[in-house]
Amino acid sequence: MTQHRDQHIVNQIDQLVSEQLADGEPHTGYDYGDPDFPRCPHPWCDEEWHGLPITTRMAEMRWRGEVDPGYRYPDDTSAVLCPGSEDAGDFTPADKFRALAQLRQSVSVSRTVQRIRADAQWWCCFHIADLSISSVVVRGGGSPQRFLQINGETVELVPDADGTCMLGRTDRGSDAGARPQWMAIHCRQAPRAGVWVSWRPTP
């Protein structure tokens, strides 16, 4: 009796699924790219209907084509581009234009950083014991800048995609003193002192 009832329930589920799929699924996926999907009614917004505010930080990630792993929507305090399709508050297009100006500035800075990183490369010196090397960190309004003084020459280090700009190794000698072995730096050109070769870190 129980088996018969269970089979009857399964048949009902199958029938419901068949009815739901009778018209077929959209070729582009559920509601994705559907021309009948409602648009945001606000004249300053050209997005599809959205319940949450769209911020410049969200727009920047869309421009980049990737989501920042550390991004949290509740913590997003960037300027708002649209407060939401159902919002009837005091948002004005001028607010959006100010937000877009902020976004353009952010994108410009991002492109500059990407260009600088693209111009820089890793250089490695496998014998640095005879070089005079000291590190200097300059803290300004933005991210701290790091420089090396190598035999009197100032070399600006450029963070790689993962944020690193310097690698190396020192060994302890018999007198327990640190003896430098090799050093790799990420910068735009090789230092003049020492023998530096183009190099790529091992992943």
Side-chain angles (χ1 to χ4, degrees):
M1 185 70 176
T2 302
Q3 182 178 0
H4 177 71
R5 187 174 65 246
D6 291 345
Q7 185 59 48
H8 179 67
I9 293 173
V10 170
N11 291 341
Q12 285 183 315
I13 293 173
D14 288 342
Q15 182 178 353
L16 285 172
V17 171
S18 298
E19 290 173 359
Q20 292 291 323
L21 298 178
D23 295 331
E25 294 186 25
H27 293 295
T28 56
Y30 180 71
D31 279 342
Y32 180 79
D34 184 351
D36 297 326
F37 195 79
R39 308 291 299 180
C40 180
H42 297 308
W44 61 75
C45 185
D46 56 1
E47 299 288 342
E48 293 181 339
W49 191 96
H50 55 99
L52 295 174
I54 296 176
T55 67
T56 53
R57 186 75 181 91
M58 296 166 66
E60 181 185 356
M61 288 188 291
R62 176 185 288 181
W63 170 79
R64 291 175 186 270
E66 60 183 6
V67 176
D68 183 349
Y71 176 79
R72 297 292 180 269
Y73 186 82
D75 301 329
D76 187 348
T77 58
S78 62
V80 172
L81 293 173
C82 182
S85 299
E86 292 185 344
D87 187 271
D90 57 359
F91 186 87
T92 67
D95 296 325
K96 174 181 179 177
F97 295 140
R98 281 192 291 270
L100 284 173
Q102 176 183 328
L103 176 60
R104 280 194 293 270
Q105 172 66 17
S106 173
V107 167
S108 176
V109 169
S110 176
R111 285 177 173 168
T112 300
V113 170
Q114 287 181 341
R115 178 183 57 77
I116 291 174
R117 284 180 177 169
D119 292 343
Q121 73 169 71
W122 283 98
W123 298 92
C124 185
C125 180
F126 291 100
H127 185 71
I128 60 172
D130 298 329
L131 298 178
S132 173
I133 302 175
S134 60
S135 177
V136 178
V137 177
V138 177
R139 301 185 184 278
S143 300
Q145 293 177 282
R146 191 166 187 178
F147 299 86
L148 286 183
Q149 290 283 342
I150 303 177
N151 283 20
E153 177 189 5
T154 301
V155 178
E156 181 181 359
L157 302 183
V158 178
D160 202 352
D162 62 357
T164 58
C165 58
M166 186 169 59
L167 299 169
R169 177 181 174 184
T170 57
D171 285 342
R172 293 285 178 182
S174 57
D175 58 355
R179 303 180 187 279
Q181 298 296 310
W182 60 270
M183 172 182 283
I185 57 178
H186 196 251
C187 55
R188 281 182 280 276
Q189 61 184 17
R192 292 191 296 268
V195 178
W196 298 83
V197 296
S198 180
W199 184 78
R200 178 174 296 179
T202 301

